[in-house]
Amino acid sequence: MRIGRALENDLVVSDLQVSRNHAEFHTTPDGRMEIRDLGSHNGTYVNGLPIAKGGTQLLGPTDIVGVGHSTFRIVGDRLEEFVDTGEVSFSARHLTVTVDGGKQILKDVSFGVPEKSLVAVIGPSGSGKSTLLKALTGYRPANQGEVLYDNRNLYKQFAELRQRIGLVPQDDILHKELTVKKALKYAAKLRFPADTTAAERDARIDEVLRELKLDIHKDKKVTSLSGGQRKRVSVALELLTKPSLIFLDEPTSGLDPGMDRDVMQLLRGLADDGRTVLVVTHSVAELAICDKLLVMAPGGAVAYFGPPEEALNFFGYDTWADVFSAFENYRDYDWAGRWKGSQHYQMYAADIDAVAPQSVQVPAMQAMKPPKPQGWMSQFVTLVRRYVSVIVSDKGFLALMVILPAVLGAVSLLIDADKGLLPTPPNPETGRIIPNGTATTVLLILAVGACFAGAANSVRELIKERVIYERERATGLSRSAYLMSKVFVLGMITVLQGLLVGVIGFSSREIPEEGLVFGGFTLLELSVPIMALGFTSMMFGLIISSLVKTAEKTMPLLVMFAIIQVVFTGCLFTLHGSIGVNQFSFLMPSRWAVAASGATLDFNKISPPETAGDNDPLWEHTVGAWAMDMGAIILLGVLCGFFVARFLRRHEPEVMRK
């Protein structure tokens, strides 16, 4: 029996998460059953763990096969199917999170959520709300306890169940420069299987836009929408894959009371339509429309769980402001003990808390790596197209891309505009060579310009998309495809900028007629190191962007990077022969770029050392020296790419990093 989305299958599953021909059930000669994956894009799962693409696995009487939103089980000679339409239960049992030093920031949290429910989580700052959200979604699994999705362990079956969970972070997870429809198109292209047609994706997008009443805004840019409408678009993105469970982190933050109510009513509607919705919020104005309320106390313990209309009476206060003040004034009070000793606890949480966590053997963590719905090249092309669309829609950035290198290149023309970049003949009386200071000064300015332009292009790129990357990575985005899309687009821009800087800086001056490598194309040979320097500086900018926690910290680091490059070009003072300093300069791309152009111009004659014969080997007027200098620049760029990829791992769900 073959299962898939196409009509010719024996069992047709109308789910865009399922491939056209997804899997097959077979009977073995000894009468046993096996499942064979047919190269599906989102994977075939047995007991929550993916089987190899195109592989087979024998099935026992208790094994559960997962295909998209459907699960199957062999019962005798029959195949039973369960379709997850969203009406599933969800519970957390004894969740405890411990950080370095043994401090517990989440303490023994247990609660159960019935199907089709809207649950609000509130609490003062430091009560562990964000930690709880990460534990419930698998982004940062709890050290102890378990999360059960319809009685299935989320941590142990994350690879399959991740497709059924939607997460809307506090920050928008869309590129604001794109229109609503275009942003959702790119998201759908990345999340749906590669064999999904454009018509199928468009139909699903239109369906979600109508459901959230966003169809009248689909051609507007995300940045032009109100705060509440932008939050609806973020919810729409998550609804594309029909998740059964939706988490939202502070969706009403920064919204006025009217928009606050609109967003909460939207969530109420999502729950009524058959989904389970859990929202972390600071707003207490609309708690009455929720089914359950979870109140977290300082220190990460549960202070209350139950109907919202009974919460204030439970605490004995008239307003939530009084409750939060009590939390602050009595931080050492045992709020969790008071809750567990109450009648409300017996009514709403005792059954969940009494069940001990299941002692199931944890499978090998590498088996939890989820399959990617799209192939690497398909993801790369989609990411490149999206990134280009974002850049093209930002007219200010486009103008800056052209103006910045043009200005930096033009500045070099102010330096002795009538002087060339050739070695000066020796003094006929003394025989001493007069240094050509213009050449080193011009090259210094062009190198600094390329460094600054390259790093400035990329220094904000990863930090400004961090929330988007974290969410897309959890849905199957390839880290290397994401990084390479940045490197490809920014690399093309930076290389063209370097060419512009070089042409402006070198073309108006007298330069050697014959180069070392490019023959008569000396202008190109001088510009290539500047282009490579811009590219490698762009890679250094990506390292900065992957390390910082806020975009504001990028500018001081950018300036520091540019200044360090100025110092270690070798144009300000002699580096060769300076023990320690010279070796450290080998880590600087500007050192190698200036050396490559200097080799073409023969810097050892243009700026001869004070001690005869003590020439800088990196400036030797030979093909070998030029090739070594260029190879070093490229190697530094490759090393930067390796480190960026490693640093990006820190911004992925922890369950995927094990």
Side-chain angles (χ1 to χ4, degrees), residues 35 44-51 57-59 63-66 160:
I35 182 72
T44 303
Y45 301 83
V46 176
N47 299 325
L49 299 178
I51 63 177
Q57 184 165 331
L58 288 170
L59 299 176
D63 289 337
I64 297 176
V65 177
E160 177 185 357

Side-chain angles (χ1 to χ4, degrees), residues 233-294:
V233 177
S234 293
V235 173
L237 188 151
E238 292 301 315
L239 290 184
L240 289 175
T241 54
K242 296 185 178 180
S244 312
L245 187 62
I246 303 176
F247 294 92
L248 301 99
D249 188 10
E250 301 283 359
T252 60
S253 178
L255 302 184
D256 61 47
M259 289 184 179
D260 180 358
R261 181 177 58 192
D262 290 344
V263 171
M264 292 301 289
Q265 287 179 343
L266 164 68
L267 303 184
R268 178 70 265 172
L270 294 178
D272 292 340
D273 286 341
R275 305 174 182 93
T276 300
V277 183
L278 188 144
V279 53
V280 174
T281 180
H282 274 118
S283 174
V284 296
E286 303 296 329
L287 295 180
I289 68 173
C290 299
D291 298 298
K292 291 287 190 295
L293 175 64
L294 176 67

Side-chain angles (χ1 to χ4, degrees), residues 401-551:
M401 280 193 321
V402 178
I403 294 173
L404 181 61
V407 170
L408 294 173
V411 167
S412 68
L413 300 179
L414 303 176
I415 310 299
D416 296 329
D418 57 335
K419 286 192 175 182
L421 305 180
L422 299 174
T424 55
N427 188 307
E429 297 180 1
T430 64
R432 181 176 176 80
I433 295 177
I434 302 173
N436 182 355
T438 300
T440 53
T441 305
V442 168
L443 205 51
L444 171 65
I445 292 174
L446 296 181
V448 171
C451 281
F452 189 82
N457 285 340
S458 62
V459 76
R460 287 177 178 264
E461 286 307 307
L462 299 183
I463 180 63
K464 76 179 184 182
E465 290 187 359
R466 183 161 295 172
V467 176
I468 298 174
Y469 172 74
E470 289 176 354
R471 185 66 196 115
E472 290 183 340
R473 179 68 176 137
T475 61
L477 179 70
S478 165
R479 184 196 314 131
S480 59
Y482 175 78
L483 177 57
M484 287 306 299
S485 70
K486 295 292 184 187
V487 172
F488 178 78
V489 177
L490 290 174
M492 294 290 290
I493 293 171
T494 305
V495 165
L496 291 175
Q497 287 178 327
L499 179 61
L500 182 59
V501 168
V503 169
I504 293 175
F506 292 123
S507 61
S508 63
R509 299 182 186 273
E510 187 181 3
I511 57 177
E513 294 182 1
E514 288 288 330
L516 287 170
V517 180
F518 289 43
F521 299 97
T522 311
L523 177 61
L524 179 60
E525 185 175 317
L526 289 171
S527 299
V528 165
I530 302 299
M531 295 156 66
L533 174 59
F535 180 86
T536 302
S537 297
M538 180 270 293
M539 297 300 293
F540 270 92
L542 289 178
I543 286 183
I544 294 173
S545 192
S546 65
L547 286 175
V548 295
K549 293 185 178 179
T550 61

Side-chain angles (χ1 to χ4, degrees), residues 622-641:
T622 63
V623 174
W626 190 90
M628 180 181 68
D629 296 335
M630 290 300 300
I633 300 177
I634 296 171
L635 178 61
L636 284 174
V638 172
L639 288 175
C640 287

